[in-house]
Amino acid sequence: MQNAIATLEQLENVPSRKDGISEEQEEQLRLFGCELIQSAGILLKLPQVAMGTAQVLFQRFYYMASLKQFGILEIAMGAVFLAAKVEESFTRLSYVVTVFDHLLRRTRNEPMYPPLDQFSQRAYELKNMIVASEMQILKHLGFHVHVQLPYGVLINYLRILGQEENQAVASRAWNYLNDGLRTKVYATYDPPVIACAAIWMACCEKEIKLPDGWWLLFDTAYDDLTNAARLIRRVYYAKLDRQHLPLYAHEMDKWLAK
């Protein structure tokens, strides 16, 4: 199965833009949502493939729905819970609730103790939010939750290019793939393009010269490669005011008014 990639029409008519959310504001919220997913995945001890799948589903969702209608916290929680099932790394609903409550408190500088009581109204509301958001993700994505990550593709391409044993290049390219998960590149380009972009950036950084037109070996256009690289690089220039970003949909209007 192939990855679901956003169409040109979806890229030009992003639902959040119709609700007055600028591209820069949307990028901040998407980035922060993926950070929450990565942090939650680490605390839940999920494998990287599950965390990556959750972040890709999160990114895809906001090409189908607006950030003003669905807050990043609820969709991040639903994406983690769903991705854990998809990647056969199932985790308990109570664990997901506890972890996200911890991350929420940390983000908002709220007291960390006492820990969340699983029989409290707060826990009940979060559990309902996760179940509801999981269904919203499935509904908006048409139950197409298959995600192919480019890690295996990257290894094969490095082997073909004779760079598999170059730990500096391989490690840096791998890191670019990880960092790219926080961007929309996985929702807009296929794995071969993303893998080529990571290799290109890593080789440029390490001053490794590859054969002219090497990307053509992998059916990748140079413009796609450089555009994907540009999206990944945006991670390193993003400035997030995490404490004040809206986590819930009802906080969006107040944030946009500032």
Side-chain angles (χ1 to χ4, degrees):
M1 295 179 65
Q2 290 185 331
N3 277 352
I5 302 299
T7 65
L8 180 60
E9 181 181 357
Q10 288 172 326
L11 293 173
E12 292 177 345
N13 300 287
V14 182
S16 297
R17 208 73 69 252
K18 299 175 184 178
D19 286 333
I21 301 172
S22 70
E23 183 177 0
E24 182 181 356
Q25 290 169 328
E26 180 179 1
E27 185 176 40
Q28 291 182 51
L29 293 170
R30 283 175 177 263
L31 178 56
F32 187 39
C34 287
E35 283 188 4
L36 289 173
I37 290 172
Q38 186 71 20
S39 298
I42 292 171
L43 292 174
L44 289 166
K45 297 181 180 180
L46 293 176
Q48 178 61 29
V49 64
M51 290 185 275
T53 295
Q55 290 174 82
V56 175
L57 294 178
F58 177 89
Q59 293 284 356
R60 287 180 187 173
F61 179 81
Y62 287 112
Y63 281 111
M64 307 300 296
S66 172
L67 283 153
K68 198 170 185 179
Q69 185 178 2
F70 299 97
I72 61 173
L73 179 65
E74 60 181 303
I75 300 305
M77 290 193 298
V80 168
F81 194 55
L82 176 58
K85 297 177 185 178
V86 171
E87 299 300 338
E88 300 182 355
S89 303
F90 179 76
T91 185
R92 291 180 181 274
L93 182 60
S94 58
Y95 294 171
V96 180
V97 165
T98 299
V99 163
F100 272 97
D101 177 72
H102 170 81
L103 294 174
L104 177 59
R105 294 192 200 191
R106 188 175 70 183
T107 300
R108 295 288 169 85
N109 287 328
E110 297 175 356
M112 304 300 289
Y113 296 97
L116 181 68
D117 180 356
Q118 289 296 323
F119 298 99
S120 66
Q121 181 65 27
R122 168 69 175 163
Y124 177 77
E125 291 173 353
L126 287 175
K127 288 175 183 177
N128 280 346
M129 188 182 295
I130 291 175
V131 173
S133 61
E134 180 186 25
M135 289 308 301
Q136 288 293 344
I137 294 171
L138 289 170
K139 174 185 174 182
H140 281 81
L141 298 185
F143 287 80
H144 191 170
V145 294
H146 167 75
V147 175
Q148 179 188 355
L149 298 173
Y151 296 100
V153 175
L154 174 74
I155 293 172
N156 288 334
Y157 288 4
L158 288 172
R159 184 181 297 118
I160 292 171
L161 293 169
Q163 297 297 322
E164 183 184 17
E165 301 300 324
N166 189 330
Q167 290 301 314
V169 170
S171 177
R172 197 70 189 102
W174 193 276
N175 288 339
Y176 280 129
L177 293 188
N178 288 336
D179 293 339
L181 285 167
R182 291 185 285 163
T183 75
K184 58 187 179 182
V185 71
Y186 283 79
T188 52
Y189 288 100
D190 286 313
V193 176
I194 302 171
C196 285
I199 292 171
W200 182 67
M201 288 189 290
C203 288
C204 287
E205 182 178 323
K206 302 301 179 181
E207 298 183 350
I208 302 294
K209 183 172 176 57
L210 296 176
D212 292 339
W214 61 269
W215 51 84
L216 298 176
L217 291 172
F218 313 119
D219 294 324
T220 296
Y222 182 74
D223 286 347
D224 288 343
L225 178 158
T226 53
N227 286 335
R230 194 174 296 113
L231 284 177
I232 295 173
R233 283 200 180 106
R234 290 178 70 90
V235 168
Y236 309 114
Y237 303 103
K239 296 181 180 180
L240 301 182
D241 184 7
R242 294 170 178 80
Q243 188 175 352
H244 298 100
L245 286 175
L247 294 172
Y248 301 95
H250 69 263
E251 298 175 340
M252 187 65 69
D253 285 333
K254 184 178 179 180
W255 182 66
L256 291 174
K258 289 183 179 180

